[in-house]
Amino acid sequence: MFAPVAALLAGVALLMLGNGLFLTLVPLRAEIEGFGAAWIGAIGAAYFTGFVLGCYLVPPLVARVGHIRVYAAVAALGAIVPLLHALALTPLAWIVFRVVLGLCLSGLYMVIESWLNAASTLRNRGTVFSAYMAIHLASVTAGQYLILIDSPGSSVLFSVAAILFALAVIPVCLTRAPSPPVPVRARPDLRKLWRNSQVAVLGCMTNGMANGAVWSLTPIYAKNLGLSLTGIAVFVSIAIVGGAFVQYPLGRLSDRLPDRRWLIAGLCAVAASAGLILMFGTALPLPALYTAYCLFGAAAFSVYGFSVAHANDHAEPGEFVEISAGLLVIFGVGAVAGPLLASVLMEALGARYLFLFTCAVHAAVALWAVWRTGQRDAVAPEDREDYVPMVRTSPNACALDPRAGDTAPR
């Protein structure tokens, strides 16, 4: 079953190992260089800016020159970018580099997911999608521990990331999988999305703000707690693990609840409460600190998927890909704003106030979701699609999702 897509999944694993390392390396090295929280937040926001741009710029490029050429060119550029970080140690240069890397990874995701979609069938798409998600999460988690190879103050880790990005070219360019369709162009209709579900739009936007801030700035928070490099790697990865482990039980629960908005509100309330606890991290014993962040990850990293599921409960047949792709772009826009806002708060008040920011945005969505339950009737469970965990990679992941069914481009 996996033979036709094995090379593609190997490319995903290598990409995510490099990206997982880079997620932690960049803010740690930026702090060593004395950039300051505001600049580090801007660097984090730059990555998501490139990600959103890639959703629009890569599909026409693929249509013009083909998947293999675009993948090879974008991967080569992506492999150069980590090395440039080590050569130009200035905040403005790093902002430019992160925009470029975000665009590159967005394009690489699109091409790989187009291939996976073309190589799968309606019968096995769910299995392929699940394997893709598992490899994605496992590789990002493993990438955190590559930070232990050397000190973040050296150039070795930038070289390791560049090597992994370059290696990811080989299996994909040698794949024998059939040529895929042109990637999906994400063209969100905000009015249509808002009419479809206000909770989904605000949930994805604010979840992007919170998660973008956390991905960009948590290593700084962990370092300010006095954690070692090993402790930082464990701390960052434990939230990913927490988010992965709750997907199945929460998904089963959401399919049985009379209204998914109550689950979204509950998850946001848990994330807000965990954020409040993490504000007092220096006063917590290490096991309690890790537990709180694992709980935060389990709740915060689940809100996006359930928001998309809720939106698709109200979508017309055949609108799954359009709705999901639009909400992904909205998430990306939120992820641009989040690091900028959170870093200003951290610069003014201290690193621990990162989680005051996440607490505020999650609490706001929880209250809005509860209020909306009284303004609009829920879709009956028997009329809804079953929940499927989602990745936030590119709009083409929406076409690969088994809920897309026959609407996925072939």
Side-chain angles (χ1 to χ4, degrees), residues 26-407:
V26 166
L28 289 179
R29 182 60 181 268
E31 188 177 59
I32 290 172
E33 298 297 329
F35 287 0
W39 278 113
I40 295 172
I43 291 166
Y47 170 82
F48 292 102
T49 301
F51 165 83
V52 174
L53 288 174
C55 293
Y56 293 93
L57 298 180
V58 172
L61 188 60
V62 171
R64 186 178 307 159
V65 301
H67 289 79
I68 286 284
R69 288 188 178 92
V70 169
Y71 187 90
V74 173
L77 180 58
I80 292 169
V81 171
L83 301 175
L84 293 176
H85 280 73
L87 295 176
L89 296 169
T90 64
L92 285 175
W94 278 32
I95 287 173
V96 174
F97 299 155
R98 290 297 279 168
V99 170
V100 173
L101 188 62
L103 192 153
C104 289
L105 285 172
S106 177
L108 294 172
Y109 287 140
M110 282 189 190
V111 173
I112 288 175
E113 288 161 4
S114 292
W115 251 310
L116 289 173
N117 188 43
S120 61
T121 65
L122 287 176
R123 179 174 295 179
N124 70 3
R125 185 180 294 144
T127 304
V128 171
F129 186 72
S130 297
Y132 176 62
M133 274 201 63
I135 290 170
H136 184 278
L137 290 171
S139 300
V140 170
T141 303
Q144 307 301 318
Y145 295 90
L146 296 179
I147 197 79
L148 305 179
I149 291 175
D150 201 2
S151 166
S154 77
S155 61
V156 171
L157 293 175
F158 289 107
S159 299
V160 171
I163 289 169
L164 289 168
F165 288 144
L167 285 174
V169 178
I170 298 171
V172 176
C173 287
L174 296 179
T175 183
R176 300 174 70 178
S179 182
V182 174
V184 175
R185 287 203 203 191
R187 292 180 176 175
D189 184 334
L190 294 182
R191 290 184 180 179
K192 183 176 181 179
L193 288 171
W194 185 255
R195 289 195 303 269
N196 170 280
S197 172
Q198 296 180 17
V199 170
V201 171
L202 291 179
C204 290
M205 171 67 78
T206 55
N207 191 240
M209 293 172 69
N211 288 359
V214 165
W215 281 119
S216 302
L217 298 164
T218 289
I220 305 304
Y221 167 86
K223 185 179 179 183
N224 276 268
L225 293 179
L227 297 182
S228 65
L229 276 182
T230 301
I232 293 171
V234 171
F235 186 76
V236 172
S237 64
I238 202 168
I240 305 171
V241 173
F245 270 98
V246 300
Q247 292 300 306
Y248 179 76
L250 287 180
R252 298 275 290 180
L253 175 63
S254 80
D255 291 337
R256 287 162 172 73
L257 286 175
D259 192 336
R260 289 197 213 265
R261 288 172 294 188
W262 286 107
L263 180 59
I264 295 171
L267 288 171
C268 287
V270 170
S273 300
L276 278 179
I277 294 171
L278 289 165
M279 274 191 63
F280 303 98
T282 53
L284 297 175
L286 204 56
L289 181 69
Y290 285 160
T291 300
Y293 195 50
C294 183
L295 188 64
F296 176 88
F301 295 168
S302 301
V303 171
Y304 172 80
F306 290 110
S307 296
V308 174
H310 172 61
N312 282 297
D313 290 341
H314 293 278
E316 296 296 326
E319 289 185 337
F320 177 87
V321 174
E322 178 188 356
I323 294 289
S324 301
L327 290 174
L328 177 63
V329 174
I330 287 173
F331 174 92
V333 171
V336 173
L340 295 173
L341 297 172
S343 63
V344 171
L345 195 62
M346 292 172 68
E347 187 84 40
L349 301 175
R352 67 192 184 98
Y353 284 90
L354 164 64
F355 287 101
L356 176 62
F357 174 79
T358 67
C359 175
V361 297
H362 283 128
V365 176
L367 293 172
W368 185 265
V370 170
W371 181 75
R372 286 294 297 172
T373 60
Q375 307 301 309
R376 185 186 191 185
D377 292 336
V379 176
E382 60 270 18
D383 296 327
R384 301 190 310 225
E385 292 283 346
D386 289 343
Y387 172 75
V388 177
M390 298 195 69
V391 288
R392 296 181 297 271
T393 49
S394 86
N396 260 49
C398 307
L400 179 62
D401 192 306
R403 289 171 294 183
D406 289 321
T407 64

